Amino acid sequence: MSDITVDHVESTDTIGARLNPFASKLSQAPHDIWTRLRNECPVAHSDELGGFHLLSRYEDVWAATLDTETYSSAEGTTVPRHPVRMPPEDTDEPEHRMYRKIMDPLFTPKTVKAMESWVREMTVELLDSIEDLTKFDFVADFSSQLPRHVILRIIGIPDEDLPELIDAMIALNGAYDDAERGAAAGATLYGYFAQKLAERREQPRRDDLISALLDGDFGGEPLSDLDMQHMLILTILGGTDTSSGAMGGMMLWLADHPEDYARLREDPDLMRTAIDEFLRYVSPVAYMARTTTKDVEVQGCPIPHNEKVLLGFGPANRDSEKFERADEVLLDRHPNPHVAFGGGPHRCLGANLVKLEMKVVLEEIINRFKSFEVEDYTKLRYQRGQARNLECLPLVTQRNNP
């Protein structure tokens, strides 16, 4: 096994052990490195962030998502490990199943399908509120905002509380750049939900996540207030930036490939396969961590017990051994067994919701715009870390004829 230095553009020709998803190369332009890893070092070791191995081939990543006995989530799913244990993500069976049983009913295909009308209303309202739709930042003005409004409604947050919480959500998602601000945002959210849970406990139940948690049966016992706070904050984190990133990546591809946009305008049925293909191609969550519970060997490489392992969802989704023309979007790709949502019991809780948001947004974009292009590529930048999402996408558009 060899190691590959990939944390700085200027050092990619050096052999070392400095893989780091927070570094500029892997966050902004990782695809050549991912290709090199799959081809030359599919089980790469890094000494960064406390040390970890990275799996980059589809077959290895997929197998690890299913083998939860070997690849545990109980020691955290980030590198370095987040100081707070966040259920249900940071749990194994049977705990994980008991937490998810409480939350799953709010995110089933049938339940999410019933949300379409009000998700569309939010989408239309937000687009209509943009002062100049001929020139706007798709991420800052729209895609970063819509998922926040959607997920807070599912949780059960009143509209008047949105400004305070949205500020905290933005800060918490950017905690890797400003740890002090992120800690303050976390304290704000924990304090808010502690108060909200106390208020709602005495009120009639509603059709939202707060009510589901308050009535939740966790092995015959109610959930603790701290567990409920963790679960609400994790729902916010998982339901906002990744959705925005998926939509931003979709729009960037279509801006660069107007022929695909034209196909979608002419044949709306293509959306059924196109949404999954955009998710594969974008992979808004590029990596997710596990911890080995025993010594294991992958591709002939030994990984010791109690080692952090990054499952490379992004690299796996570009694996040419699994996907023909893996570095291209094929709107009609089928089947499409991508791992944008992970796999196994930890598959993303909000997968159905993300796909609904993308579908509604694409339909409303088609309703408004004949075409669009990127105004300035030098402004494009991506979030750093295990999630890799566009933070800026300035567009110039041509509206449909009235």
Side-chain angles (χ1 to χ4, degrees):
M1 178 184 66
S2 62
D3 297 319
I4 301 175
T5 293
V6 294
D7 60 335
H8 300 296
V9 175
E10 66 271 16
S11 62
T12 56
D13 59 346
T14 306
I15 299 300
R18 299 175 62 190
L19 274 167
N20 187 339
F22 290 90
S24 61
K25 174 60 179 173
L26 273 187
S27 61
Q28 303 305 309
H31 297 292
D32 61 325
I33 299 301
W34 288 352
T35 298
R36 185 178 175 190
L37 288 170
R38 287 191 305 269
N39 292 339
E40 300 176 24
C41 188
V43 185
H45 178 263
S46 173
D47 294 326
E48 296 289 306
L49 306 173
F52 62 89
H53 282 74
L54 170 63
L55 307 185
S56 55
R57 288 183 181 170
Y58 181 94
E59 63 175 307
D60 301 327
V61 171
W62 179 247
T65 67
L66 302 181
D67 186 2
T68 56
E69 291 187 4
T70 301
Y71 299 94
S72 168
S73 299
E75 296 300 318
T77 56
T78 63
V79 289
R81 180 181 177 181
H82 191 276
V84 179
R85 175 180 176 269
M86 303 285 281
E89 186 169 298
D90 297 341
T91 61
D92 291 328
E93 306 302 341
E95 280 186 289
H96 179 262
R97 188 183 308 112
M98 292 190 289
Y99 283 119
R100 285 286 294 257
K101 185 178 180 180
I102 297 169
M103 303 178 74
D104 281 349
L106 278 86
F107 298 94
T108 65
K110 182 178 179 180
T111 304
V112 169
K113 177 62 178 175
M115 301 176 187
E116 181 167 347
S117 60
W118 63 258
V119 170
R120 191 175 301 277
E121 289 174 5
M122 284 186 174
T123 302
V124 170
E125 182 178 347
L126 187 54
L127 283 169
D128 287 347
S129 72
I130 297 173
E131 184 174 346
D132 182 6
L133 277 175
T134 64
K135 186 177 180 180
F136 71 107
D137 186 329
F138 179 82
V139 174
D141 296 335
F142 176 74
S143 72
S144 65
Q145 298 189 40
L146 178 65
R148 295 172 191 148
H149 288 272
V150 170
I151 203 65
L152 290 182
R153 175 161 174 171
I154 293 170
I155 288 172
I157 303 302
D159 289 345
E160 59 266 26
D161 292 358
L162 292 182
E164 171 193 358
L165 292 185
I166 285 176
D167 287 345
M169 291 157 63
I170 294 171
L172 196 61
N173 274 313
Y176 53 84
D177 281 328
D178 189 338
E180 185 175 341
R181 183 170 175 244
T188 295
L189 290 173
Y190 277 103
Y192 172 86
F193 283 123
Q195 179 181 353
K196 187 58 61 178
L197 288 166
E199 293 174 359
R200 290 286 301 274
R201 186 173 275 112
E202 307 305 320
Q203 297 174 2
R205 296 296 184 253
R206 308 171 193 173
D207 186 17
D208 59 28
L209 182 57
I210 289 178
S211 291
L213 297 182
L214 287 169
D215 288 340
D217 179 350
F218 186 75
E221 298 290 336
L223 291 167
S224 70
D225 278 15
L226 185 57
D227 266 357
M228 287 189 281
Q229 291 168 38
H230 289 330
M231 294 164 80
L232 290 166
I233 292 172
L234 184 62
T235 301
I236 286 175
L237 290 173
T240 53
D241 276 12
T242 51
S243 295
S244 175
M247 289 186 276
M250 173 179 72
M251 290 293 287
L252 178 57
W253 175 270
L254 292 174
D256 288 341
H257 300 83
E259 69 281 6
D260 278 349
Y261 186 58
R263 287 183 67 197
L264 288 165
R265 285 171 58 90
E266 295 165 5
D267 184 5
D269 287 343
L270 268 177
M271 287 191 197
R272 287 181 294 181
T273 52
I275 296 301
D276 270 304
E277 177 66 345
F278 287 127
L279 284 161
R280 180 198 67 83
Y281 179 81
V282 175
S283 295
V285 177
Y287 318 96
M288 191 65 73
R290 300 289 188 263
T291 303
T292 53
T293 61
K294 61 184 179 182
D295 294 346
V296 64
E297 185 174 295
V298 180
Q299 299 284 347
C301 174
I303 303 176
H305 167 252
N306 203 35
E307 174 80 351
K308 277 289 185 183
V309 177
L310 274 186
L311 309 184
F313 297 145
N317 277 335
R318 297 294 188 95
D319 191 340
S320 59
E321 293 296 314
K322 185 66 178 181
F323 301 101
E324 181 184 0
R325 295 163 63 186
D327 290 324
E328 301 176 46
V329 168
L330 306 182
L331 297 179
D332 56 357
R333 188 188 297 276
H334 182 77
N336 193 343
H338 64 76
V339 288
F341 295 125
H346 280 269
R347 187 175 187 272
C348 176
L349 174 69
N352 297 312
L353 179 61
V354 174
K355 292 168 75 168
L356 173 68
E357 289 173 332
M358 293 175 70
K359 169 185 172 292
V360 169
V361 167
L362 185 52
E363 288 172 346
E364 293 303 323
I365 290 295
I366 288 173
N367 285 340
R368 282 166 175 74
F369 303 119
K370 181 179 180 180
S371 63
F372 52 86
E373 59 186 29
V374 176
E375 177 196 14
D376 183 355
Y377 283 89
T378 66
K379 294 181 179 179
L380 300 187
R381 62 179 182 274
Y382 288 84
Q383 176 182 343
R384 296 187 294 123
Q386 290 177 212
R388 183 176 177 271
N389 303 309
L390 272 172
E391 294 182 327
C392 181
L393 181 59
L395 296 178
V396 176
T397 72
Q398 182 178 352
R399 300 294 299 272
N400 289 328
N401 294 328

mmCIF file of all heavy atoms in Angstrom, residues 1-8 11-21 26 36-37 41 43-54 307:
data_model
loop_
_atom_site.group_PDB
_atom_site.id
_atom_site.type_symbol
_atom_site.label_atom_id
_atom_site.label_comp_id
_atom_site.label_asym_id
_atom_site.label_seq_id
_atom_site.Cartn_x
_atom_site.Cartn_y
_atom_site.Cartn_z
ATOM 1 N N MET A 1 0.844 -1.204 0.000
ATOM 2 C CA MET A 1 0.000 0.000 0.000
ATOM 3 C C MET A 1 0.872 1.243 0.000
ATOM 4 O O MET A 1 1.847 1.334 0.721
ATOM 5 C CB MET A 1 -0.888 0.011 1.256
ATOM 6 C CG MET A 1 -1.778 1.250 1.364
ATOM 7 S SD MET A 1 -2.714 1.269 2.918
ATOM 8 C CE MET A 1 -1.389 1.461 4.110
ATOM 9 N N SER A 2 0.517 2.233 -0.806
ATOM 10 C CA SER A 2 1.239 3.494 -0.829
ATOM 11 C C SER A 2 0.344 4.612 -0.352
ATOM 12 O O SER A 2 -0.859 4.466 -0.242
ATOM 13 C CB SER A 2 1.723 3.796 -2.255
ATOM 14 O OG SER A 2 0.623 3.939 -3.121
ATOM 15 N N ASP A 3 0.945 5.747 -0.031
ATOM 16 C CA ASP A 3 0.210 6.926 0.399
ATOM 17 C C ASP A 3 0.350 7.999 -0.669
ATOM 18 O O ASP A 3 1.334 8.075 -1.383
ATOM 19 C CB ASP A 3 0.770 7.470 1.725
ATOM 20 C CG ASP A 3 0.607 6.470 2.871
ATOM 21 O OD1 ASP A 3 -0.460 5.854 2.939
ATOM 22 O OD2 ASP A 3 1.555 6.323 3.670
ATOM 23 N N ILE A 4 -0.659 8.859 -0.773
ATOM 24 C CA ILE A 4 -0.647 9.901 -1.791
ATOM 25 C C ILE A 4 -0.906 11.246 -1.134
ATOM 26 O O ILE A 4 -1.874 11.411 -0.410
ATOM 27 C CB ILE A 4 -1.724 9.645 -2.859
ATOM 28 C CG1 ILE A 4 -1.481 8.287 -3.535
ATOM 29 C CG2 ILE A 4 -1.748 10.741 -3.893
ATOM 30 C CD1 ILE A 4 -2.560 7.898 -4.503
ATOM 31 N N THR A 5 -0.021 12.190 -1.382
ATOM 32 C CA THR A 5 -0.240 13.537 -0.878
ATOM 33 C C THR A 5 -1.257 14.237 -1.761
ATOM 34 O O THR A 5 -1.058 14.348 -2.960
ATOM 35 C CB THR A 5 1.070 14.331 -0.896
ATOM 36 O OG1 THR A 5 1.945 13.752 0.052
ATOM 37 C CG2 THR A 5 0.829 15.787 -0.538
ATOM 38 N N VAL A 6 -2.358 14.719 -1.170
ATOM 39 C CA VAL A 6 -3.402 15.335 -1.987
ATOM 40 C C VAL A 6 -3.968 16.581 -1.347
ATOM 41 O O VAL A 6 -5.022 17.035 -1.724
ATOM 42 C CB VAL A 6 -4.552 14.329 -2.237
ATOM 43 C CG1 VAL A 6 -4.079 13.188 -3.088
ATOM 44 C CG2 VAL A 6 -5.108 13.810 -0.927
ATOM 45 N N ASP A 7 -3.270 17.157 -0.371
ATOM 46 C CA ASP A 7 -3.912 18.266 0.327
ATOM 47 C C ASP A 7 -3.600 19.619 -0.280
ATOM 48 O O ASP A 7 -4.280 20.583 0.017
ATOM 49 C CB ASP A 7 -3.520 18.259 1.816
ATOM 50 C CG ASP A 7 -2.030 18.386 2.043
ATOM 51 O OD1 ASP A 7 -1.250 18.012 1.150
ATOM 52 O OD2 ASP A 7 -1.632 18.848 3.118
ATOM 53 N N HIS A 8 -2.615 19.731 -1.143
ATOM 54 C CA HIS A 8 -2.306 21.009 -1.765
ATOM 55 C C HIS A 8 -2.057 20.798 -3.250
ATOM 56 O O HIS A 8 -1.421 19.833 -3.650
ATOM 57 C CB HIS A 8 -1.067 21.650 -1.127
ATOM 58 C CG HIS A 8 -1.244 21.907 0.336
ATOM 59 N ND1 HIS A 8 -2.165 22.784 0.838
ATOM 60 C CD2 HIS A 8 -0.609 21.374 1.410
ATOM 61 C CE1 HIS A 8 -2.085 22.795 2.159
ATOM 62 N NE2 HIS A 8 -1.154 21.950 2.529
ATOM 63 N N SER A 11 1.483 20.048 -4.381
ATOM 64 C CA SER A 11 2.223 18.908 -3.862
ATOM 65 C C SER A 11 1.675 17.569 -4.324
ATOM 66 O O SER A 11 1.982 16.542 -3.756
ATOM 67 C CB SER A 11 2.223 18.942 -2.330
ATOM 68 O OG SER A 11 0.905 18.846 -1.834
ATOM 69 N N THR A 12 0.846 17.562 -5.384
ATOM 70 C CA THR A 12 0.226 16.313 -5.795
ATOM 71 C C THR A 12 1.206 15.317 -6.388
ATOM 72 O O THR A 12 0.867 14.151 -6.547
ATOM 73 C CB THR A 12 -0.893 16.580 -6.822
ATOM 74 O OG1 THR A 12 -0.346 17.319 -7.915
ATOM 75 C CG2 THR A 12 -2.029 17.358 -6.199
ATOM 76 N N ASP A 13 2.420 15.759 -6.721
ATOM 77 C CA ASP A 13 3.374 14.819 -7.276
ATOM 78 C C ASP A 13 4.282 14.247 -6.189
ATOM 79 O O ASP A 13 5.227 13.535 -6.486
ATOM 80 C CB ASP A 13 4.223 15.507 -8.358
ATOM 81 C CG ASP A 13 4.989 16.707 -7.819
ATOM 82 O OD1 ASP A 13 4.664 17.159 -6.706
ATOM 83 O OD2 ASP A 13 5.902 17.176 -8.519
ATOM 84 N N THR A 14 4.004 14.541 -4.934
ATOM 85 C CA THR A 14 4.819 14.075 -3.830
ATOM 86 C C THR A 14 4.124 12.910 -3.134
ATOM 87 O O THR A 14 2.929 12.940 -2.922
ATOM 88 C CB THR A 14 5.041 15.189 -2.794
ATOM 89 O OG1 THR A 14 5.572 16.328 -3.455
ATOM 90 C CG2 THR A 14 5.995 14.752 -1.708
ATOM 91 N N ILE A 15 4.892 11.878 -2.783
ATOM 92 C CA ILE A 15 4.325 10.758 -2.056
ATOM 93 C C ILE A 15 4.427 11.060 -0.567
ATOM 94 O O ILE A 15 5.464 11.413 -0.051
ATOM 95 C CB ILE A 15 5.092 9.460 -2.386
ATOM 96 C CG1 ILE A 15 4.982 9.166 -3.892
ATOM 97 C CG2 ILE A 15 4.547 8.301 -1.574
ATOM 98 C CD1 ILE A 15 3.563 8.987 -4.375
ATOM 99 N N GLY A 16 3.293 10.928 0.132
ATOM 100 C CA GLY A 16 3.244 11.234 1.555
ATOM 101 C C GLY A 16 1.992 10.655 2.160
ATOM 102 O O GLY A 16 1.399 9.746 1.629
ATOM 103 N N ALA A 17 1.585 11.216 3.259
ATOM 104 C CA ALA A 17 0.404 10.708 3.960
ATOM 105 C C ALA A 17 -0.402 11.878 4.482
ATOM 106 O O ALA A 17 -0.635 12.000 5.670
ATOM 107 C CB ALA A 17 0.825 9.785 5.098
ATOM 108 N N ARG A 18 -0.867 12.752 3.589
ATOM 109 C CA ARG A 18 -1.515 13.987 4.029
ATOM 110 C C ARG A 18 -2.891 14.189 3.390
ATOM 111 O O ARG A 18 -3.304 15.296 3.113
ATOM 112 C CB ARG A 18 -0.603 15.177 3.729
ATOM 113 C CG ARG A 18 0.744 15.100 4.459
ATOM 114 C CD ARG A 18 1.669 16.226 4.061
ATOM 115 N NE ARG A 18 1.112 17.526 4.412
ATOM 116 C CZ ARG A 18 1.624 18.691 4.001
ATOM 117 N NH1 ARG A 18 2.679 18.686 3.195
ATOM 118 N NH2 ARG A 18 1.083 19.822 4.364
ATOM 119 N N LEU A 19 -3.587 13.100 3.128
ATOM 120 C CA LEU A 19 -4.973 13.208 2.684
ATOM 121 C C LEU A 19 -5.762 14.032 3.692
ATOM 122 O O LEU A 19 -5.755 13.731 4.882
ATOM 123 C CB LEU A 19 -5.612 11.823 2.593
ATOM 124 C CG LEU A 19 -5.451 11.006 1.322
ATOM 125 C CD1 LEU A 19 -5.870 9.579 1.580
ATOM 126 C CD2 LEU A 19 -6.287 11.607 0.217
ATOM 127 N N ASN A 20 -6.481 15.025 3.226
ATOM 128 C CA ASN A 20 -7.236 15.881 4.145
ATOM 129 C C ASN A 20 -8.427 16.486 3.407
ATOM 130 O O ASN A 20 -8.266 17.344 2.549
ATOM 131 C CB ASN A 20 -6.328 16.993 4.692
ATOM 132 C CG ASN A 20 -7.007 17.813 5.778
ATOM 133 O OD1 ASN A 20 -8.231 17.842 5.885
ATOM 134 N ND2 ASN A 20 -6.203 18.478 6.586
ATOM 135 N N PRO A 21 -9.664 16.054 3.734
ATOM 136 C CA PRO A 21 -10.833 16.576 3.024
ATOM 137 C C PRO A 21 -11.103 18.050 3.283
ATOM 138 O O PRO A 21 -11.927 18.657 2.591
ATOM 139 C CB PRO A 21 -11.986 15.705 3.546
ATOM 140 C CG PRO A 21 -11.507 15.165 4.844
ATOM 141 C CD PRO A 21 -10.017 15.019 4.704
ATOM 142 N N LEU A 26 -8.718 18.845 -2.204
ATOM 143 C CA LEU A 26 -9.792 17.860 -2.129
ATOM 144 C C LEU A 26 -11.168 18.508 -2.044
ATOM 145 O O LEU A 26 -12.164 17.906 -2.426
ATOM 146 C CB LEU A 26 -9.592 16.921 -0.942
ATOM 147 C CG LEU A 26 -8.722 15.695 -1.188
ATOM 148 C CD1 LEU A 26 -8.743 14.774 0.010
ATOM 149 C CD2 LEU A 26 -9.169 14.930 -2.425
ATOM 150 N N ARG A 36 -6.891 8.888 -9.226
ATOM 151 C CA ARG A 36 -5.586 8.307 -8.891
ATOM 152 C C ARG A 36 -5.715 7.350 -7.707
ATOM 153 O O ARG A 36 -5.106 6.268 -7.702
ATOM 154 C CB ARG A 36 -4.591 9.421 -8.573
ATOM 155 C CG ARG A 36 -3.184 8.895 -8.339
ATOM 156 C CD ARG A 36 -2.205 10.012 -8.081
ATOM 157 N NE ARG A 36 -0.885 9.479 -7.746
ATOM 158 C CZ ARG A 36 0.117 10.192 -7.290
ATOM 159 N NH1 ARG A 36 -0.043 11.499 -7.105
ATOM 160 N NH2 ARG A 36 1.271 9.625 -7.012
ATOM 161 N N LEU A 37 -6.508 7.725 -6.715
ATOM 162 C CA LEU A 37 -6.700 6.844 -5.568
ATOM 163 C C LEU A 37 -7.338 5.525 -5.993
ATOM 164 O O LEU A 37 -6.875 4.450 -5.606
ATOM 165 C CB LEU A 37 -7.582 7.533 -4.515
ATOM 166 C CG LEU A 37 -6.934 8.682 -3.732
ATOM 167 C CD1 LEU A 37 -7.986 9.427 -2.923
ATOM 168 C CD2 LEU A 37 -5.830 8.160 -2.812
ATOM 169 N N CYS A 41 -4.257 3.487 -5.422
ATOM 170 C CA CYS A 41 -4.222 3.304 -3.972
ATOM 171 C C CYS A 41 -5.649 3.315 -3.426
ATOM 172 O O CYS A 41 -6.054 4.250 -2.734
ATOM 173 C CB CYS A 41 -3.391 4.414 -3.342
ATOM 174 S SG CYS A 41 -3.071 4.212 -1.583
ATOM 175 N N VAL A 43 -7.107 1.894 -1.076
ATOM 176 C CA VAL A 43 -7.205 1.957 0.385
ATOM 177 C C VAL A 43 -6.026 2.807 0.857
ATOM 178 O O VAL A 43 -4.941 2.302 1.114
ATOM 179 C CB VAL A 43 -7.169 0.556 1.025
ATOM 180 C CG1 VAL A 43 -7.397 0.653 2.523
ATOM 181 C CG2 VAL A 43 -8.218 -0.347 0.386
ATOM 182 N N ALA A 44 -6.242 4.096 0.902
ATOM 183 C CA ALA A 44 -5.157 5.035 1.206
ATOM 184 C C ALA A 44 -5.137 5.377 2.680
ATOM 185 O O ALA A 44 -6.181 5.492 3.311
ATOM 186 C CB ALA A 44 -5.333 6.309 0.380
ATOM 187 N N HIS A 45 -3.940 5.565 3.212
ATOM 188 C CA HIS A 45 -3.797 5.951 4.614
ATOM 189 C C HIS A 45 -3.338 7.398 4.721
ATOM 190 O O HIS A 45 -2.540 7.874 3.910
ATOM 191 C CB HIS A 45 -2.790 5.057 5.338
ATOM 192 C CG HIS A 45 -2.581 5.457 6.768
ATOM 193 N ND1 HIS A 45 -1.530 6.264 7.169
ATOM 194 C CD2 HIS A 45 -3.313 5.212 7.878
ATOM 195 C CE1 HIS A 45 -1.615 6.476 8.469
ATOM 196 N NE2 HIS A 45 -2.687 5.849 8.931
ATOM 197 N N SER A 46 -3.882 8.089 5.717
ATOM 198 C CA SER A 46 -3.458 9.462 6.003
ATOM 199 C C SER A 46 -3.151 9.607 7.478
ATOM 200 O O SER A 46 -3.823 9.016 8.329
ATOM 201 C CB SER A 46 -4.568 10.450 5.609
ATOM 202 O OG SER A 46 -4.229 11.768 6.023
ATOM 203 N N ASP A 47 -2.156 10.439 7.775
ATOM 204 C CA ASP A 47 -1.850 10.773 9.161
ATOM 205 C C ASP A 47 -2.572 12.027 9.623
ATOM 206 O O ASP A 47 -2.453 12.426 10.779
ATOM 207 C CB ASP A 47 -0.336 10.985 9.330
ATOM 208 C CG ASP A 47 0.449 9.700 9.116
ATOM 209 O OD1 ASP A 47 -0.077 8.627 9.467
ATOM 210 O OD2 ASP A 47 1.571 9.773 8.581
ATOM 211 N N GLU A 48 -3.310 12.668 8.706
ATOM 212 C CA GLU A 48 -4.012 13.900 9.036
ATOM 213 C C GLU A 48 -5.237 13.618 9.905
ATOM 214 O O GLU A 48 -5.783 12.515 9.910
ATOM 215 C CB GLU A 48 -4.454 14.614 7.753
ATOM 216 C CG GLU A 48 -3.316 15.083 6.865
ATOM 217 C CD GLU A 48 -2.565 16.254 7.472
ATOM 218 O OE1 GLU A 48 -3.215 17.254 7.807
ATOM 219 O OE2 GLU A 48 -1.336 16.153 7.598
ATOM 220 N N LEU A 49 -5.671 14.649 10.646
ATOM 221 C CA LEU A 49 -6.924 14.606 11.405
ATOM 222 C C LEU A 49 -7.002 13.408 12.339
ATOM 223 O O LEU A 49 -8.051 12.785 12.520
ATOM 224 C CB LEU A 49 -8.114 14.594 10.447
ATOM 225 C CG LEU A 49 -8.152 15.739 9.417
ATOM 226 C CD1 LEU A 49 -9.287 15.522 8.426
ATOM 227 C CD2 LEU A 49 -8.290 17.081 10.104
ATOM 228 N N GLY A 50 -5.900 13.054 12.931
ATOM 229 C CA GLY A 50 -5.866 11.930 13.856
ATOM 230 C C GLY A 50 -5.598 10.585 13.208
ATOM 231 O O GLY A 50 -5.474 9.572 13.894
ATOM 232 N N GLY A 51 -5.487 10.576 11.872
ATOM 233 C CA GLY A 51 -5.201 9.342 11.148
ATOM 234 C C GLY A 51 -6.466 8.616 10.710
ATOM 235 O O GLY A 51 -7.422 8.493 11.470
ATOM 236 N N PHE A 52 -6.469 8.137 9.464
ATOM 237 C CA PHE A 52 -7.607 7.388 8.939
ATOM 238 C C PHE A 52 -7.198 6.698 7.646
ATOM 239 O O PHE A 52 -6.184 7.018 7.032
ATOM 240 C CB PHE A 52 -8.814 8.306 8.692
ATOM 241 C CG PHE A 52 -8.575 9.389 7.671
ATOM 242 C CD1 PHE A 52 -8.821 9.173 6.324
ATOM 243 C CD2 PHE A 52 -8.108 10.635 8.065
ATOM 244 C CE1 PHE A 52 -8.592 10.171 5.381
ATOM 245 C CE2 PHE A 52 -7.882 11.647 7.142
ATOM 246 C CZ PHE A 52 -8.124 11.415 5.789
ATOM 247 N N HIS A 53 -8.017 5.731 7.223
ATOM 248 C CA HIS A 53 -7.927 5.139 5.901
ATOM 249 C C HIS A 53 -9.101 5.656 5.062
ATOM 250 O O HIS A 53 -10.180 5.915 5.589
ATOM 251 C CB HIS A 53 -7.986 3.611 5.965
ATOM 252 C CG HIS A 53 -6.704 2.971 6.375
ATOM 253 N ND1 HIS A 53 -6.239 2.992 7.679
ATOM 254 C CD2 HIS A 53 -5.768 2.273 5.662
ATOM 255 C CE1 HIS A 53 -5.082 2.342 7.753
ATOM 256 N NE2 HIS A 53 -4.780 1.899 6.538
ATOM 257 N N LEU A 54 -8.887 5.775 3.748
ATOM 258 C CA LEU A 54 -9.931 6.206 2.833
ATOM 259 C C LEU A 54 -10.182 5.123 1.795
ATOM 260 O O LEU A 54 -9.260 4.704 1.089
ATOM 261 C CB LEU A 54 -9.540 7.506 2.125
ATOM 262 C CG LEU A 54 -10.445 7.953 0.966
ATOM 263 C CD1 LEU A 54 -11.853 8.253 1.455
ATOM 264 C CD2 LEU A 54 -9.856 9.183 0.268
ATOM 265 N N GLU A 307 -9.617 1.790 13.935
ATOM 266 C CA GLU A 307 -9.101 2.769 12.979
ATOM 267 C C GLU A 307 -10.258 3.519 12.331
ATOM 268 O O GLU A 307 -11.274 2.928 11.953
ATOM 269 C CB GLU A 307 -8.291 2.052 11.891
ATOM 270 C CG GLU A 307 -7.824 2.931 10.755
ATOM 271 C CD GLU A 307 -6.578 3.749 11.087
ATOM 272 O OE1 GLU A 307 -6.187 3.761 12.269
ATOM 273 O OE2 GLU A 307 -5.998 4.351 10.152
#
